[in-house]
Amino acid sequence: MCSEYEQRICYAEYSNVMQDLALGIPPRQSELDLAPRAQIKIGDMGAVIRCVGDNTVELVQMKFGFPPARKHGPVFNIRSQGKSFSDGHRCLIPASAFLESTGRRRSKGKYRFELVGAPFMAIAAIWRPGGKSQPSAFAMLTTHPGFDVKQFHNRQVVVLRPSDWKAWLDLERSPAELLQPLSRGSLKVEEAKPPEFGSS
């Protein structure tokens, strides 16, 4: 399942999209809150978008993956089916692409998925407050794979088009309706070259 994504989004581009969606940006925010990253993996800090009042969103740095439960590793993907997500801790992960491995041992490859027809994508996620000197953290939501992903993996992260971002943040529609794979041809898929998932 997805444990890696890239964030090469220009802050001016981000601001333009937020304005088009009539979502305000706090005046204190700047390009420093969305610094480009070639690779964000489990345990890294990354920017997420969350609500901060009516029709205003903010970028906040959080850790990718909830703390381990007992002996298990960090929780970075959560199944969306059958959950209400009504506790208010919904967020979006701005990303230029996410990466998936095929999982085949003998021919394991890595593939890059980019949203077609939009400057960047947002992955549906939830976050938890930090505690005991630990930062707040986020985890991606998953669903069954759409046509563009199913040949590579049996699950996929939920990618939302800009028109659905506010609906997820405010939960204006049911999770069952929102948290679905996109239609065929919505994601551009290409084999990831070593520089795409090397050191950031």
Side-chain angles (χ1 to χ4, degrees):
M1 220 28 260
C2 182
S3 60
E4 181 180 349
Y5 67 99
E6 67 179 49
Q7 194 289 97
R8 301 176 185 270
I9 305 161
C10 170
Y11 183 76
E13 191 172 53
Y14 166 82
S15 299
N16 289 337
V17 172
M18 292 299 114
Q19 290 174 3
D20 290 343
L21 296 173
L23 289 171
I25 302 173
R28 67 180 183 277
Q29 302 255 246
S30 72
E31 60 274 5
L32 298 177
D33 297 294
L34 197 65
R37 299 276 301 281
Q39 179 189 55
I40 299 175
K41 303 182 81 171
I42 301 166
D44 291 343
M45 299 296 288
V48 301
I49 304 167
R50 68 178 180 184
C51 287
V52 60
D54 295 337
N55 291 322
T56 301
V57 298
E58 66 177 351
L59 288 164
V60 182
Q61 290 289 321
M62 296 187 187
K63 190 174 184 178
F64 181 18
F66 295 150
R70 298 180 182 177
K71 295 183 179 180
H72 300 287
V75 177
F76 56 95
N77 289 158
I78 294 176
R79 286 177 177 258
S80 63
Q81 289 94 331
K83 297 181 174 67
S84 69
F85 302 109
S86 58
D87 64 359
H89 287 164
R90 297 174 300 278
C91 63
L92 296 164
I93 305 166
S96 46
F98 68 90
L99 293 100
E100 284 284 7
S101 296
T102 61
R104 304 186 189 102
R105 291 183 179 179
R106 292 186 179 179
S107 59
K108 193 169 186 177
K110 190 168 287 193
Y111 292 84
R112 181 179 183 275
F113 296 81
E114 184 178 314
L115 183 60
V116 174
F120 59 94
M121 68 173 69
I123 299 168
I126 58 174
W127 66 278
R128 291 178 183 171
K132 295 182 180 179
S133 74
Q134 290 295 315
S136 296
F138 66 90
M140 299 174 171
L141 299 183
T142 69
T143 185
H144 58 275
F147 184 90
D148 299 328
V149 178
K150 65 182 180 181
Q151 61 181 310
F152 303 99
H153 210 285
N154 61 1
R155 298 286 296 172
Q156 74 160 81
V157 292
V158 178
V159 176
L160 296 177
R161 292 191 180 279
S163 57
D164 289 326
W165 294 357
K166 188 174 185 299
W168 169 242
L169 291 174
D170 293 342
L171 208 58
E172 295 173 344
R173 304 205 306 274
S174 72
E177 179 185 355
L178 281 169
L179 306 178
Q180 294 291 329
L182 298 176
S183 59
R184 179 176 183 172
S186 296
L187 295 172
K188 175 186 174 184
V189 188
E190 61 185 4
E191 190 167 4
K193 301 176 178 63
E196 296 288 353
F197 54 91
S199 58
S200 56

